[in-house]
Amino acid sequence: MHMTLEARAPETEEARAPETDSAKRRQILDGARRVFLAAGFDGASMNDIARVAEVSKGTLYVYFTSKEELFKALIREDRKQQAERLVIPADSAEPRAWLAAWGRELIGLMTQPELIALVRIVIAATGKFPNIGRAFYESGPRYGEMKLAERLEIWRAQGVLQFSDGRLAARQFVDLCKSGVFQSCMFGLSETASPEAIAKSVEAAVEVFMCAYGAGETKT
């Protein structure tokens, strides 16, 4: 059965809240996270979210005009927090150790059960609501790709790496790091990835990446 988004509450109910962070907004997002993770996007309702967040439905609509808008805000907030938790190693003229440390941090975050659950919800909802998938991509994979590309471009300028497209090289490195490990969690083969499995995957990714793009590396 086709599900439709709930209609926006009347403007007369309460004045529209500013698009700024606040304790009330965080309270709503925390409640929404619990509901979405438990029920999925289609199964969640604004009534349920208001109840779990312990706010009135009128207050909920002051901050978010629809379930889709609320879910997109939750995605952006979670991806922002993930970016803040991603520890960027100190600058180094030698990319191998830096890439290995960065890759382990990234895949450790990506394979957390809560994030895996959120990715599944995003994939399920994107068919009907493409903006949800777009919001996730832009605040997550695209953002991380751009930050890594900036670091790779520094090494290219120093003559340590050689490639023609920094964004493509960054995307390839992330995909190499995820290989097998992320998919195993996504499809339920394992709840999360062990530090050993992550380290093994990232180590192999660094070797392949450096063979392809390392200046002076022996190409086989």
Side-chain angles (χ1 to χ4, degrees):
M1 182 175 66
H2 181 69
M3 301 288 290
T4 58
L5 293 178
E6 297 176 63
R8 179 175 178 170
E11 289 290 349
T12 55
E13 189 169 10
E14 292 186 54
R16 177 72 175 151
E19 296 284 343
T20 57
D21 195 20
S22 67
K24 184 64 68 177
R25 186 175 187 274
R26 289 194 297 273
Q27 179 181 336
I28 292 170
L29 289 174
D30 288 342
R33 183 182 296 104
R34 294 197 295 272
V35 174
F36 283 125
L37 289 176
F41 182 80
D42 277 349
S45 72
M46 293 295 263
N47 283 330
D48 290 337
I49 292 169
R51 176 177 52 80
V52 173
E54 299 182 338
V55 299
S56 70
K57 194 172 179 181
T59 298
L60 179 57
Y61 276 110
V62 166
Y63 285 85
F64 303 100
T65 60
S66 69
K67 186 170 70 170
E68 182 183 3
E69 180 191 351
L70 174 52
F71 190 55
K72 287 191 292 184
L74 178 63
I75 288 170
R76 293 189 179 102
E77 180 67 21
D78 281 2
R79 299 290 66 72
K80 176 184 175 184
Q81 292 179 7
Q82 180 178 337
E84 291 171 350
R85 293 199 304 268
L86 183 58
V87 178
I88 304 299
D91 287 348
S92 171
E94 203 289 300
R96 283 180 178 272
W98 192 100
L99 288 170
W102 189 88
R104 288 192 299 269
E105 285 280 340
L106 177 68
I107 304 306
L109 289 172
M110 289 181 64
T111 54
Q112 290 179 348
E114 187 171 291
L115 179 60
I116 292 293
L118 183 62
V119 172
R120 290 171 179 155
I121 294 171
V122 169
I123 292 172
T126 296
K128 287 190 289 185
F129 305 105
N131 285 339
I132 288 177
R134 189 173 298 112
F136 183 87
Y137 175 75
E138 290 178 351
S139 60
R142 182 175 180 271
Y143 176 81
E145 182 184 299
M146 290 174 62
K147 298 303 292 184
L148 176 56
E150 290 174 5
R151 177 68 256 187
L152 298 181
E153 290 289 356
I154 292 173
W155 280 317
R156 179 167 71 164
Q158 294 172 345
V160 180
L161 297 179
Q162 50 188 7
F163 49 78
S164 58
D165 187 331
R167 287 283 299 278
L168 175 60
R171 189 180 312 131
Q172 290 172 333
F173 179 70
V174 173
D175 286 345
L176 286 168
C177 289
K178 292 193 305 183
S179 181
V181 182
F182 181 74
Q183 290 87 338
S184 177
C185 295
M186 271 294 296
F187 295 106
L189 277 70
S190 57
E191 182 178 359
T192 188
S194 68
E196 293 77 17
I198 292 172
K200 182 177 180 180
S201 181
V202 172
E203 181 181 351
V206 172
E207 288 301 317
V208 173
F209 186 83
M210 292 303 299
C211 282
Y213 294 126
E217 295 277 338
T218 301
K219 305 295 191 294
T220 58

